[in-house]
């Protein structure tokens, strides 16, 4: 039940490719692991995230976690491909999806340092937001970031996100 009078449950998360002018978001799978391992080989990426995906073992374990979340309908992870170079440059995910509540979180976004502070992050967020609202019929999309991660907080402000509070 969604808690919204007359509103039924939203669609389940299903693998989908989202393409913009700068990046393509591809559902994460085993074929992405070598390219992502190269993109992830920078310790500064992992400072504010719950785990580092900088080893083959960590990436493989994460992929297993992603598959479980996808099977439950609560998550979907993407590999980020830079269109001009065709290189994999990071990842992002839909998390904590609640189709009945028509809500999803966008998070666990990481980008290799060479592509940070470029159009990559903005386009990732816009593609995922558009798909959440238009493709998944969400009524709420959430972002969570560490209170001390000023770069991520500033990036969210640039796309018009509103801060609701600090945990």
């Amino acid at each position: 039940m969604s808690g919204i009078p007359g509103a039924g449950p939203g669609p389940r998360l299903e693998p989908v490719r989202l393409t913009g002018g700068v990046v393509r978001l591809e559902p994460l799978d085993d074929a992405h692991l070598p390219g992502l391992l190269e993109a992830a080989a920078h310790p500064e990426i992992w400072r504010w995230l719950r785990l580092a995906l900088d080893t083959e073992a960590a990436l493989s374990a994460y992929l297993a976690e992603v598959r479980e979340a996808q099977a439950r309908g609560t998550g979907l992870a993407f590999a980020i491909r830079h269109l001009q170079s065709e290189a994999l440059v990071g990842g992002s995910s839909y998390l904590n999806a609640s189709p009945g509540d028509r809500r999803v979180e966008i998070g666990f976004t990481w980008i290799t340092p060479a592509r940070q502070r470029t159009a990559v992050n903005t386009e990732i967020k816009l593609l995922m937001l558009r798909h959440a609202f238009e493709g998944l019929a969400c009524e709420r999309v959430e972002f969570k970031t560490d209170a001390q991660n000023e770069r991520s907080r500033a990036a969210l402000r640039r796309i018009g996100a509103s801060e609701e509070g600090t945990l």
Side-chain angles (χ1 to χ4, degrees):
M1 180 131 322
S2 70
I4 301 166
R12 277 181 55 94
L13 286 175
E14 298 290 341
V16 61
R17 285 180 173 224
L18 305 174
T19 304
V22 177
V23 297
R24 179 175 54 245
L25 301 177
E26 303 172 359
L28 183 62
D29 65 33
D30 290 325
H32 294 113
L33 296 184
L36 288 179
L37 192 56
E38 184 178 330
H42 305 276
E44 64 270 27
I45 295 172
W46 309 110
R47 179 175 181 192
W48 304 109
L49 296 173
R50 66 179 175 87
L51 70 139
L53 302 180
D54 56 353
T55 67
E56 188 174 340
L59 271 168
S60 294
Y62 177 69
L63 185 56
E65 185 181 308
V66 163
R67 286 184 175 130
E68 289 174 15
Q70 187 174 321
R72 288 190 310 270
T74 60
L76 177 62
F78 295 98
I80 304 164
R81 186 172 304 277
H82 184 259
L83 293 176
Q84 186 177 19
S85 68
E86 282 297 313
L88 293 173
V89 297
S92 192
S93 301
Y94 286 126
L95 307 163
N96 303 315
S98 179
D101 295 321
R102 297 170 74 175
R103 171 184 55 75
V104 71
E105 177 184 341
I106 295 174
F108 201 66
T109 301
W110 63 274
I111 302 166
T112 198
R115 298 293 176 186
Q116 292 177 4
R117 297 184 165 238
T118 69
V120 169
N121 190 42
T122 301
E123 188 165 75
I124 293 162
K125 297 299 191 282
L126 294 177
L127 287 168
M128 292 179 76
L129 283 165
R130 180 179 301 126
H131 181 66
F133 287 120
E134 296 175 7
L136 300 173
C138 288
E139 294 187 351
R140 179 177 176 83
V141 176
E142 301 170 350
F143 296 94
K144 294 177 186 160
T145 187
D146 191 289
Q148 297 177 350
N149 186 347
E150 189 50 43
R151 275 183 149 182
S152 289
R153 293 165 53 98
L156 291 170
R157 284 191 297 271
R158 282 194 302 274
I159 64 167
S162 299
E163 185 171 346
E164 291 183 340
T166 302
L167 298 175

